[in-house]
Every structure is written in structure tokens, then in C-alpha cells.
């Protein structure tokens, strides 16, 4: 799956009609030969405020994952601009969504993580949201769907053979999470207020196979949205939603996929596959 390794000094070009999806596995970093030294380097990247927030977590695993997340984002952003990982600064944007302060290029990004996988979607100028879920976790997914999904989504979900329902639930759940994260408003947007329709060819293909509709009282335009689903392995589901700005609304978007060990290595994945 790994087709190319990049040195830290190399820069990655991001076109206006591209989405780059990055991943890292926080628990695998514990296996690195110089794990303790690496964690010290990661800690040195954080601002004082970030360190305080990271160390508020009660459990060591959560502190570790928070540290890796912040180092991961800082490191990957430095592949796009001549800024060292420790120099990036972030603030809450207009919709309370993390934004880069004084960005040298108009990078937009969004982060999501589950127990053993962290992802970050990066694009230029467009609002973007991503979500990753562990589909093996023990949840009563049908009860959750019945409570939170739109009527069209629950109708389609419950009409499927029982063996397919759990997978379809996570298709919808990750798509919905990615949409509200692109807005930066969280559950201030009720999940019943918008509906996804998914055709079988949607996986890893064009947005034309995933469509979005809104309740009459929700003010939004489905024509500006692009959404994608990815199945990187048998354990995870990933969704991305992007709101194309005026200049990009006629664009066809393409993807590149990267896996990194922050401050150590970056691998381009083709096709997107995580073991």
C-alpha cells in the first residue's frame, strides 16, 4: 500500500480541487524505538494553553492521544508551508471551529479521532468536515438511528437485511457528523434536519452518488455540498463533507491519502488502505 516516503523537508502541493486525507495511529507510536524522546519532542510543540488542556485528561491514554493529535496536525500542516510545526497558532473561528492564525496559504482542515486512529482532512478555502468511527464498538445502532436519523434514512436503514443494517448505520452516522463538523456548529444542528441518500456506487467514487437534502425549515443549499465515504479497513468508517465556495462549485474533486508518524515520516497511500 505504501508507494512513497517523503522527507520532512519536502513540501506537498494542494490544488484548489483536491482533498488530502491524513491518518496516524496513536497507539502504534508507542512502539517507536525512541518513543520517550519522540513524546518529549511532541510536547515541546504545544503552547502553554495546549499543554494545560492536554494534561487535563484523567487517563494516560487520553493524554497520549491528545498529545499525538496536536503534534500530528502541526506536523502535517508544515508539509504545505515553510513554517515549523511549533510555530503554528490556532484560534476559534466564526463558528467556533479551529482555524489557523495568519495562515500563509488558505488551508482549511478538520480533525476526527477514534480509539486507535486519528484523521485530518485538508483543503484550500472550502469548509470541510471529517469523521472516523470504530464500527466494531458495541452500540444499539438501530435505537440510535430511530431517535436521531431523518425519516427517509431510518426507512432505508430498516428496510435492509439485518446483516447490512449496522454498516449502513455507520455510513449515515459518519456522513452526518462530517456535515455538522464542516459547519462547526456541532449538535446545534439537529440530525433529523438533513438527510443523506447513498447509492451503492458511492464508496470511493464521485459525489453524484451521495446526495443531501434538508428539512423545509433548514436554510442550506444541497448543490454546494460534496460528500464521500471511505472504508479504509474492516474496523473503521470515514466520511468527508465539503461545502464548495463560489469558485469551486463546478469542480470535480480528487483525493490524496497520507499516513504519518509526526516528525519522523510521511507515506503517501495509494489506494487508501490502512491495515
Amino acid at each position: 500500500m505504501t508507494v512513497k516516503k517523503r522527507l520532512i523537508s519536502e513540501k506537498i502541493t494542494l490544488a484548489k480541487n483536491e482533498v488530502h486525507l491524513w491518518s496516524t495511529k496513536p497507539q502504534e507510536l508507542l512502539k517507536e524505538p525512541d518513543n520517550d524522546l519522540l513524546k518529549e519532542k511532541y510536547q515541546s510543540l504545544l503552547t502553554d494553553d495546549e499543554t494545560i488542556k492536554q494534561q487535563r485528561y484523567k487517563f494516560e491514554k487520553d493524554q497520549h492521544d491528545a498529545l499525538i493529535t496536536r503534534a500530528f496536525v502541526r506536523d502535517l500542516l508544515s508539509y504545505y508551508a515553510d513554517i515549523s510545526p511549533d510555530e503554528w497558532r490556532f484560534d476559534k473561528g466564526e463558528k467556533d471551529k479551529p482555524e489557523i492564525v495568519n495562515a500563509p496559504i488558505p488551508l482549511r482542515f478538520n480533525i476526527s479521532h477514534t480509539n486507535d486512529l486519528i484523521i485530518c482532512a485538508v483543503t484550500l478555502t472550502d469548509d470541510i468536515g471529517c469523521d472516523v468511527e470504530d464500527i466494531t464498538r458495541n452500540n444499539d445502532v438501530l435505537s440510535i438511528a430511530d431517535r436521531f436519523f431523518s425519516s427517509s434514512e431510518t426507512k432505508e436503514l430498516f428496510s435492509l437485511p439485518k446483516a447490512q443494517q449496522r454498516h449502513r448505520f455507520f455510513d449515515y452516522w459518519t456522513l452526518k457528523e462530517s456535515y455538522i463538523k464542516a459547519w462547526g456548529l456541532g449538535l446545534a444542528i439537529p440530525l433529523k434536519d438533513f438527510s443523506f441518500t447513498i447509492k451503492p456506487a458511492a464508496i470511493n467514487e464521485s459525489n453524484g452518488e451521495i446526495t443531501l437534502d434538508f428539512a423545509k425549515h433548514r436554510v442550506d443549499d444541497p448543490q454546494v455540498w460534496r460528500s464521500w465515504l471511505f472504508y479504509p479497513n474492516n474496523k473503521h468508517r470515514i466520511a468527508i463533507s465539503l461545502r464548495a465556495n463560489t469558485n469551486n462549485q463546478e469542480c470535480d474533486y480528487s483525493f490524496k491519502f497520507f499516513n504519518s508518524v509526526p516528525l519522523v515520516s510521511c507515506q503517501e497511500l495509494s489506494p487508501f488502505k490502512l491495515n
Side-chain angles (χ1 to χ4, degrees):
M1 284 83 70
T2 298
V3 298
K4 191 175 183 180
K5 284 195 175 185
R6 298 179 185 269
L7 300 175
I8 293 296
S9 60
E10 292 184 4
K11 290 293 175 277
I12 295 173
T13 301
L14 178 61
K16 72 172 185 177
N17 62 337
E18 277 187 337
V19 178
H20 290 180
L21 182 59
W22 291 73
S23 61
T24 195
K25 298 179 180 179
Q27 296 310 303
E28 284 198 2
L29 296 184
L30 294 174
K31 303 172 186 176
E32 287 291 315
D34 298 320
N35 170 57
D36 290 338
L37 179 60
L38 201 53
K39 287 202 292 186
E40 287 180 16
K41 289 182 178 179
Y42 292 164
Q43 200 75 58
S44 71
L45 301 180
L46 275 57
T47 64
D48 291 343
D49 286 346
E50 288 174 331
T51 298
I52 290 170
K53 291 177 182 177
Q54 179 250 336
Q55 294 182 351
R56 280 178 184 160
Y57 288 97
K58 181 178 180 181
F59 298 107
E60 184 177 352
K61 178 189 178 299
D62 295 330
Q63 288 188 7
H64 172 77
D65 289 358
L67 174 63
I68 301 306
T69 299
R70 293 184 181 278
F72 169 58
V73 172
R74 288 174 168 277
D75 179 63
L76 72 85
L77 290 175
S78 290
Y79 280 94
Y80 299 101
D82 291 321
I83 296 179
S84 63
D86 63 312
E87 292 178 343
W88 294 97
R89 294 294 179 267
F90 307 95
D91 199 358
K92 295 278 182 79
E94 180 184 347
K95 300 183 179 68
D96 212 29
K97 185 179 177 182
E99 303 282 357
I100 301 168
V101 176
N102 297 324
I105 55 176
L107 290 169
R108 309 302 301 277
F109 72 96
N110 192 238
I111 312 161
S112 182
H113 58 84
T114 184
N115 286 335
D116 53 2
L117 184 62
I118 304 169
I119 66 169
C120 183
V122 184
T123 189
L124 292 175
T125 69
D126 297 312
D127 287 326
I128 193 165
C130 65
D131 187 53
V132 58
E133 299 290 341
D134 180 350
I135 66 174
T136 65
R137 70 188 193 197
N138 187 22
N139 291 98
D140 184 356
V141 296
L142 297 185
S143 175
I144 295 171
D146 195 41
R147 182 179 177 186
F148 292 107
F149 287 4
S150 70
S151 58
S152 64
E153 290 166 339
T154 53
K155 181 179 179 181
E156 195 266 347
L157 176 64
F158 283 86
S159 72
L160 292 173
K162 205 168 186 73
Q164 298 177 24
Q165 289 177 346
R166 186 176 186 83
H167 285 277
R168 180 59 91 210
F169 167 85
F170 281 104
D171 287 341
Y172 283 134
W173 185 264
T174 52
L175 283 168
K176 283 177 167 290
E177 285 283 330
S178 69
Y179 169 80
I180 62 176
K181 289 183 69 181
W183 268 108
L185 296 175
L187 291 176
I189 304 175
L191 297 181
K192 288 181 179 288
D193 281 7
F194 58 99
S195 304
F196 284 95
T197 301
I198 308 167
K199 296 183 181 179
I203 307 307
N204 290 336
E205 298 217 5
S206 68
N207 177 67
E209 302 297 340
I210 300 178
T211 55
L212 181 57
D213 295 297
F214 300 101
K216 290 182 179 179
H217 58 270
R218 171 138 188 89
V219 180
D220 204 341
D221 179 5
Q223 300 303 314
V224 305
W225 286 95
R226 312 284 187 275
S227 299
W228 300 268
L229 282 167
F230 298 100
Y231 293 9
N233 51 42
N234 293 327
K235 187 177 180 180
H236 296 102
R237 182 81 80 257
I238 291 173
I240 293 177
S241 289
L242 177 150
R243 183 174 55 186
N245 65 30
T246 304
N247 295 328
N248 290 352
Q249 287 177 13
E250 302 302 319
C251 284
D252 291 326
Y253 285 81
S254 61
F255 278 82
K256 288 184 179 179
F257 306 95
F258 302 91
N259 182 265
S260 78
V261 177
L263 302 184
V264 175
S265 65
C266 164
Q267 299 171 315
E268 185 173 347
L269 306 178
S270 181
F272 181 39
K273 201 76 173 175
L274 299 174
N275 290 329

